[in-house]
Amino acid sequence: MFQRASLLTVSTLPLASCSGDLSALDPAGPYAGAIANLWWIMLAGAAAILALVLVLFALVFFRPGFGRGLSQKGWMIAGGLVLPVPVLIALMIYGMAQGEYLIGAWQKEPVIARVEAKGAMWRWNFRYPDLGPDVASEETLHIPVGGVVEVQVTSDDVVHSFWIPRLAGKVDAVPGHITTLRIRADVAGRYGGVCAEYCGVGHTSMRFTVEAHPPELYEQRLTEMSVRGAAP
């Protein structure tokens, strides 16, 4: 039990910062940006509710007798429903709209590349079906910059979780089931990815790298991989 707790603590330490390779608040694409915006808006909503509560507390404290005209039941209704419900409803509507965006329900942008991602204790393997069955990479996912990439995620053994914090939200990798995730990088570079679901003693080392290439370099890189995979 102590070992599991320590592993979970270590694996989440890099996420505490607002910037960095594994920060969800430092987005490098529209999908991660939608999640970051949702986080900031939810923080603002929580701050608004807290501010209203503090204002009421200050009025009661500095103006004795304030609110005596309202019964206890009235205060419960006002404080428990009238005060937070409008803010919570607004947050819920915005969150649902962002969720629809993340799953591609109302997107018309075409998918320019497809990748199969398979997790296994404790590594990630990637295949590129558009270029043939032999084009594959391990621990490094290659994607083109500036376009939507569809990633089909599954697992070979236990439940893992596929997460690239700066490019998209996380999805579970379930044995015998394919979960589709869309990612997009607007800037070329390297991005960190992790398994975000505890999957055994090697969980903390189950990381991978995403290399986002300009389109021409992406094709060249995968052509090299294709030639190497076809070699005897």
mmCIF file of all heavy atoms in Angstrom, residues 43-61 66 75 77-88 90-91:
data_model
loop_
_atom_site.group_PDB
_atom_site.id
_atom_site.type_symbol
_atom_site.label_atom_id
_atom_site.label_comp_id
_atom_site.label_asym_id
_atom_site.label_seq_id
_atom_site.Cartn_x
_atom_site.Cartn_y
_atom_site.Cartn_z
ATOM 1 N N LEU A 43 -12.228 27.595 -12.125
ATOM 2 C CA LEU A 43 -11.579 28.302 -11.007
ATOM 3 C C LEU A 43 -12.255 29.652 -10.767
ATOM 4 O O LEU A 43 -12.509 30.038 -9.618
ATOM 5 C CB LEU A 43 -10.094 28.494 -11.303
ATOM 6 C CG LEU A 43 -9.297 29.281 -10.260
ATOM 7 C CD1 LEU A 43 -9.273 28.537 -8.920
ATOM 8 C CD2 LEU A 43 -7.871 29.545 -10.746
ATOM 9 N N ALA A 44 -12.573 30.358 -11.846
ATOM 10 C CA ALA A 44 -13.244 31.657 -11.706
ATOM 11 C C ALA A 44 -14.634 31.487 -11.094
ATOM 12 O O ALA A 44 -15.055 32.288 -10.251
ATOM 13 C CB ALA A 44 -13.343 32.347 -13.058
ATOM 14 N N GLY A 45 -15.357 30.434 -11.503
ATOM 15 C CA GLY A 45 -16.679 30.182 -10.930
ATOM 16 C C GLY A 45 -16.600 29.869 -9.448
ATOM 17 O O GLY A 45 -17.404 30.371 -8.650
ATOM 18 N N ALA A 46 -15.626 29.033 -9.061
ATOM 19 C CA ALA A 46 -15.450 28.719 -7.642
ATOM 20 C C ALA A 46 -15.078 29.967 -6.852
ATOM 21 O O ALA A 46 -15.550 30.172 -5.727
ATOM 22 C CB ALA A 46 -14.371 27.646 -7.478
ATOM 23 N N ALA A 47 -14.228 30.814 -7.456
ATOM 24 C CA ALA A 47 -13.838 32.054 -6.787
ATOM 25 C C ALA A 47 -15.042 32.984 -6.620
ATOM 26 O O ALA A 47 -15.175 33.673 -5.595
ATOM 27 C CB ALA A 47 -12.737 32.750 -7.575
ATOM 28 N N ALA A 48 -15.949 32.999 -7.615
ATOM 29 C CA ALA A 48 -17.141 33.851 -7.516
ATOM 30 C C ALA A 48 -18.046 33.388 -6.380
ATOM 31 O O ALA A 48 -18.560 34.215 -5.595
ATOM 32 C CB ALA A 48 -17.902 33.823 -8.845
ATOM 33 N N ILE A 49 -18.238 32.068 -6.252
ATOM 34 C CA ILE A 49 -19.059 31.549 -5.153
ATOM 35 C C ILE A 49 -18.425 31.872 -3.811
ATOM 36 O O ILE A 49 -19.102 32.310 -2.864
ATOM 37 C CB ILE A 49 -19.252 30.029 -5.308
ATOM 38 C CG1 ILE A 49 -20.094 29.739 -6.549
ATOM 39 C CG2 ILE A 49 -19.926 29.442 -4.072
ATOM 40 C CD1 ILE A 49 -20.245 28.262 -6.850
ATOM 41 N N LEU A 50 -17.090 31.682 -3.724
ATOM 42 C CA LEU A 50 -16.392 31.996 -2.474
ATOM 43 C C LEU A 50 -16.515 33.477 -2.142
ATOM 44 O O LEU A 50 -16.731 33.848 -0.974
ATOM 45 C CB LEU A 50 -14.926 31.600 -2.596
ATOM 46 C CG LEU A 50 -14.030 31.949 -1.395
ATOM 47 C CD1 LEU A 50 -14.511 31.209 -0.148
ATOM 48 C CD2 LEU A 50 -12.576 31.609 -1.686
ATOM 49 N N ALA A 51 -16.380 34.339 -3.153
ATOM 50 C CA ALA A 51 -16.480 35.780 -2.910
ATOM 51 C C ALA A 51 -17.867 36.151 -2.382
ATOM 52 O O ALA A 51 -17.988 36.968 -1.444
ATOM 53 C CB ALA A 51 -16.172 36.540 -4.194
ATOM 54 N N LEU A 52 -18.919 35.548 -2.936
ATOM 55 C CA LEU A 52 -20.268 35.834 -2.461
ATOM 56 C C LEU A 52 -20.452 35.391 -1.006
ATOM 57 O O LEU A 52 -21.065 36.099 -0.193
ATOM 58 C CB LEU A 52 -21.291 35.144 -3.360
ATOM 59 C CG LEU A 52 -21.430 35.714 -4.778
ATOM 60 C CD1 LEU A 52 -22.335 34.824 -5.617
ATOM 61 C CD2 LEU A 52 -21.978 37.135 -4.737
ATOM 62 N N VAL A 53 -19.909 34.233 -0.670
ATOM 63 C CA VAL A 53 -20.002 33.749 0.717
ATOM 64 C C VAL A 53 -19.258 34.678 1.664
ATOM 65 O O VAL A 53 -19.743 34.998 2.755
ATOM 66 C CB VAL A 53 -19.451 32.311 0.811
ATOM 67 C CG1 VAL A 53 -19.352 31.875 2.263
ATOM 68 C CG2 VAL A 53 -20.343 31.346 0.036
ATOM 69 N N LEU A 54 -18.073 35.129 1.238
ATOM 70 C CA LEU A 54 -17.293 36.030 2.095
ATOM 71 C C LEU A 54 -17.991 37.376 2.267
ATOM 72 O O LEU A 54 -17.917 37.985 3.348
ATOM 73 C CB LEU A 54 -15.896 36.229 1.493
ATOM 74 C CG LEU A 54 -14.984 34.995 1.518
ATOM 75 C CD1 LEU A 54 -13.659 35.302 0.833
ATOM 76 C CD2 LEU A 54 -14.748 34.533 2.964
ATOM 77 N N VAL A 55 -18.667 37.848 1.223
ATOM 78 C CA VAL A 55 -19.411 39.113 1.340
ATOM 79 C C VAL A 55 -20.536 38.968 2.361
ATOM 80 O O VAL A 55 -20.737 39.847 3.222
ATOM 81 C CB VAL A 55 -19.974 39.527 -0.036
ATOM 82 C CG1 VAL A 55 -20.993 40.651 0.126
ATOM 83 C CG2 VAL A 55 -18.849 39.983 -0.948
ATOM 84 N N LEU A 56 -21.274 37.862 2.312
ATOM 85 C CA LEU A 56 -22.340 37.625 3.278
ATOM 86 C C LEU A 56 -21.771 37.516 4.694
ATOM 87 O O LEU A 56 -22.348 38.049 5.651
ATOM 88 C CB LEU A 56 -23.108 36.352 2.917
ATOM 89 C CG LEU A 56 -24.008 36.436 1.688
ATOM 90 C CD1 LEU A 56 -24.622 35.068 1.392
ATOM 91 C CD2 LEU A 56 -25.112 37.476 1.892
ATOM 92 N N PHE A 57 -20.643 36.835 4.816
ATOM 93 C CA PHE A 57 -20.019 36.701 6.132
ATOM 94 C C PHE A 57 -19.615 38.068 6.683
ATOM 95 O O PHE A 57 -19.805 38.366 7.869
ATOM 96 C CB PHE A 57 -18.797 35.791 6.027
ATOM 97 C CG PHE A 57 -18.060 35.628 7.313
ATOM 98 C CD1 PHE A 57 -18.519 34.765 8.299
ATOM 99 C CD2 PHE A 57 -16.889 36.337 7.560
ATOM 100 C CE1 PHE A 57 -17.840 34.624 9.490
ATOM 101 C CE2 PHE A 57 -16.203 36.212 8.744
ATOM 102 C CZ PHE A 57 -16.682 35.337 9.718
ATOM 103 N N ALA A 58 -19.043 38.906 5.804
ATOM 104 C CA ALA A 58 -18.629 40.236 6.242
ATOM 105 C C ALA A 58 -19.837 41.083 6.663
ATOM 106 O O ALA A 58 -19.783 41.822 7.663
ATOM 107 C CB ALA A 58 -17.858 40.929 5.119
ATOM 108 N N LEU A 59 -20.924 40.980 5.914
ATOM 109 C CA LEU A 59 -22.124 41.741 6.288
ATOM 110 C C LEU A 59 -22.664 41.306 7.649
ATOM 111 O O LEU A 59 -23.059 42.143 8.474
ATOM 112 C CB LEU A 59 -23.202 41.559 5.210
ATOM 113 C CG LEU A 59 -22.934 42.258 3.873
ATOM 114 C CD1 LEU A 59 -23.976 41.857 2.846
ATOM 115 C CD2 LEU A 59 -22.925 43.778 4.059
ATOM 116 N N VAL A 60 -22.682 39.999 7.886
ATOM 117 C CA VAL A 60 -23.160 39.499 9.184
ATOM 118 C C VAL A 60 -22.234 39.939 10.308
ATOM 119 O O VAL A 60 -22.670 40.279 11.414
ATOM 120 C CB VAL A 60 -23.283 37.959 9.142
ATOM 121 C CG1 VAL A 60 -23.576 37.406 10.524
ATOM 122 C CG2 VAL A 60 -24.380 37.553 8.169
ATOM 123 N N PHE A 61 -20.934 39.928 10.031
ATOM 124 C CA PHE A 61 -19.949 40.239 11.076
ATOM 125 C C PHE A 61 -19.913 41.730 11.409
ATOM 126 O O PHE A 61 -19.826 42.116 12.574
ATOM 127 C CB PHE A 61 -18.566 39.770 10.609
ATOM 128 C CG PHE A 61 -17.506 39.871 11.655
ATOM 129 C CD1 PHE A 61 -17.396 38.897 12.646
ATOM 130 C CD2 PHE A 61 -16.622 40.939 11.663
ATOM 131 C CE1 PHE A 61 -16.406 38.994 13.619
ATOM 132 C CE2 PHE A 61 -15.642 41.040 12.634
ATOM 133 C CZ PHE A 61 -15.534 40.068 13.619
ATOM 134 N N PHE A 66 -27.970 41.900 10.542
ATOM 135 C CA PHE A 66 -28.183 41.722 9.104
ATOM 136 C C PHE A 66 -28.773 40.335 8.838
ATOM 137 O O PHE A 66 -28.288 39.327 9.331
ATOM 138 C CB PHE A 66 -26.859 41.870 8.346
ATOM 139 C CG PHE A 66 -26.965 41.501 6.881
ATOM 140 C CD1 PHE A 66 -27.494 42.399 5.966
ATOM 141 C CD2 PHE A 66 -26.546 40.253 6.433
ATOM 142 C CE1 PHE A 66 -27.594 42.057 4.628
ATOM 143 C CE2 PHE A 66 -26.652 39.913 5.096
ATOM 144 C CZ PHE A 66 -27.171 40.816 4.191
ATOM 145 N N TRP A 75 -32.618 31.105 4.684
ATOM 146 C CA TRP A 75 -31.168 31.179 4.478
ATOM 147 C C TRP A 75 -30.639 29.912 3.825
ATOM 148 O O TRP A 75 -29.732 29.951 2.989
ATOM 149 C CB TRP A 75 -30.449 31.420 5.805
ATOM 150 C CG TRP A 75 -30.340 32.868 6.163
ATOM 151 C CD1 TRP A 75 -30.977 33.532 7.165
ATOM 152 C CD2 TRP A 75 -29.537 33.837 5.489
ATOM 153 N NE1 TRP A 75 -30.634 34.857 7.180
ATOM 154 C CE2 TRP A 75 -29.746 35.066 6.150
ATOM 155 C CE3 TRP A 75 -28.687 33.790 4.400
ATOM 156 C CZ2 TRP A 75 -29.113 36.240 5.752
ATOM 157 C CZ3 TRP A 75 -28.053 34.958 3.994
ATOM 158 C CH2 TRP A 75 -28.270 36.166 4.663
ATOM 159 N N ILE A 77 -32.257 27.977 1.751
ATOM 160 C CA ILE A 77 -32.630 28.007 0.331
ATOM 161 C C ILE A 77 -31.786 29.031 -0.423
ATOM 162 O O ILE A 77 -31.272 28.756 -1.521
ATOM 163 C CB ILE A 77 -34.125 28.331 0.184
ATOM 164 C CG1 ILE A 77 -34.961 27.194 0.781
ATOM 165 C CG2 ILE A 77 -34.486 28.570 -1.279
ATOM 166 C CD1 ILE A 77 -36.447 27.481 0.805
ATOM 167 N N ALA A 78 -31.624 30.203 0.181
ATOM 168 C CA ALA A 78 -30.857 31.252 -0.490
ATOM 169 C C ALA A 78 -29.385 30.871 -0.625
ATOM 170 O O ALA A 78 -28.776 31.033 -1.692
ATOM 171 C CB ALA A 78 -30.997 32.566 0.279
ATOM 172 N N GLY A 79 -28.808 30.351 0.469
ATOM 173 C CA GLY A 79 -27.384 30.029 0.437
ATOM 174 C C GLY A 79 -27.065 28.738 -0.276
ATOM 175 O O GLY A 79 -25.996 28.604 -0.882
ATOM 176 N N GLY A 80 -27.992 27.772 -0.213
ATOM 177 C CA GLY A 80 -27.710 26.474 -0.816
ATOM 178 C C GLY A 80 -28.177 26.332 -2.244
ATOM 179 O O GLY A 80 -27.708 25.451 -2.969
ATOM 180 N N LEU A 81 -29.136 27.179 -2.672
ATOM 181 C CA LEU A 81 -29.666 27.059 -4.023
ATOM 182 C C LEU A 81 -29.490 28.339 -4.839
ATOM 183 O O LEU A 81 -28.865 28.318 -5.900
ATOM 184 C CB LEU A 81 -31.149 26.678 -3.965
ATOM 185 C CG LEU A 81 -31.483 25.303 -3.373
ATOM 186 C CD1 LEU A 81 -32.985 25.108 -3.306
ATOM 187 C CD2 LEU A 81 -30.854 24.193 -4.213
ATOM 188 N N VAL A 82 -30.055 29.420 -4.335
ATOM 189 C CA VAL A 82 -30.058 30.659 -5.106
ATOM 190 C C VAL A 82 -28.648 31.164 -5.369
ATOM 191 O O VAL A 82 -28.327 31.635 -6.475
ATOM 192 C CB VAL A 82 -30.881 31.738 -4.379
ATOM 193 C CG1 VAL A 82 -30.824 33.064 -5.137
ATOM 194 C CG2 VAL A 82 -32.320 31.273 -4.203
ATOM 195 N N LEU A 83 -27.781 31.039 -4.356
ATOM 196 C CA LEU A 83 -26.423 31.571 -4.491
ATOM 197 C C LEU A 83 -25.575 30.761 -5.472
ATOM 198 O O LEU A 83 -25.058 31.305 -6.447
ATOM 199 C CB LEU A 83 -25.760 31.637 -3.112
ATOM 200 C CG LEU A 83 -24.380 32.290 -3.046
ATOM 201 C CD1 LEU A 83 -24.492 33.767 -3.403
ATOM 202 C CD2 LEU A 83 -23.788 32.137 -1.648
ATOM 203 N N PRO A 84 -25.411 29.416 -5.284
ATOM 204 C CA PRO A 84 -24.484 28.685 -6.148
ATOM 205 C C PRO A 84 -25.074 28.145 -7.446
ATOM 206 O O PRO A 84 -24.336 27.936 -8.405
ATOM 207 C CB PRO A 84 -24.039 27.519 -5.249
ATOM 208 C CG PRO A 84 -25.223 27.246 -4.397
ATOM 209 C CD PRO A 84 -25.886 28.582 -4.164
ATOM 210 N N VAL A 85 -26.392 27.894 -7.483
ATOM 211 C CA VAL A 85 -26.950 27.180 -8.626
ATOM 212 C C VAL A 85 -26.735 27.901 -9.959
ATOM 213 O O VAL A 85 -26.351 27.260 -10.947
ATOM 214 C CB VAL A 85 -28.446 26.887 -8.387
ATOM 215 C CG1 VAL A 85 -29.147 26.524 -9.687
ATOM 216 C CG2 VAL A 85 -28.589 25.748 -7.388
ATOM 217 N N PRO A 86 -26.953 29.218 -10.080
ATOM 218 C CA PRO A 86 -26.703 29.865 -11.383
ATOM 219 C C PRO A 86 -25.265 29.698 -11.861
ATOM 220 O O PRO A 86 -25.029 29.450 -13.049
ATOM 221 C CB PRO A 86 -27.040 31.337 -11.109
ATOM 222 C CG PRO A 86 -27.993 31.297 -9.967
ATOM 223 C CD PRO A 86 -27.533 30.176 -9.107
ATOM 224 N N VAL A 87 -24.322 29.817 -10.933
ATOM 225 C CA VAL A 87 -22.911 29.649 -11.317
ATOM 226 C C VAL A 87 -22.648 28.217 -11.755
ATOM 227 O O VAL A 87 -21.984 27.963 -12.764
ATOM 228 C CB VAL A 87 -21.986 30.045 -10.150
ATOM 229 C CG1 VAL A 87 -20.527 29.813 -10.518
ATOM 230 C CG2 VAL A 87 -22.202 31.500 -9.772
ATOM 231 N N LEU A 88 -23.179 27.246 -10.999
ATOM 232 C CA LEU A 88 -22.961 25.839 -11.329
ATOM 233 C C LEU A 88 -23.605 25.457 -12.658
ATOM 234 O O LEU A 88 -23.037 24.675 -13.440
ATOM 235 C CB LEU A 88 -23.492 24.951 -10.206
ATOM 236 C CG LEU A 88 -22.768 25.067 -8.858
ATOM 237 C CD1 LEU A 88 -23.450 24.214 -7.809
ATOM 238 C CD2 LEU A 88 -21.306 24.670 -9.008
ATOM 239 N N ALA A 90 -24.122 27.487 -15.214
ATOM 240 C CA ALA A 90 -23.297 28.081 -16.275
ATOM 241 C C ALA A 90 -22.036 27.242 -16.513
ATOM 242 O O ALA A 90 -21.655 26.995 -17.661
ATOM 243 C CB ALA A 90 -22.927 29.517 -15.903
ATOM 244 N N LEU A 91 -21.397 26.787 -15.428
ATOM 245 C CA LEU A 91 -20.204 25.952 -15.567
ATOM 246 C C LEU A 91 -20.540 24.623 -16.232
ATOM 247 O O LEU A 91 -19.762 24.107 -17.052
ATOM 248 C CB LEU A 91 -19.573 25.718 -14.192
ATOM 249 C CG LEU A 91 -18.919 26.924 -13.522
ATOM 250 C CD1 LEU A 91 -18.423 26.550 -12.133
ATOM 251 C CD2 LEU A 91 -17.766 27.454 -14.368
#
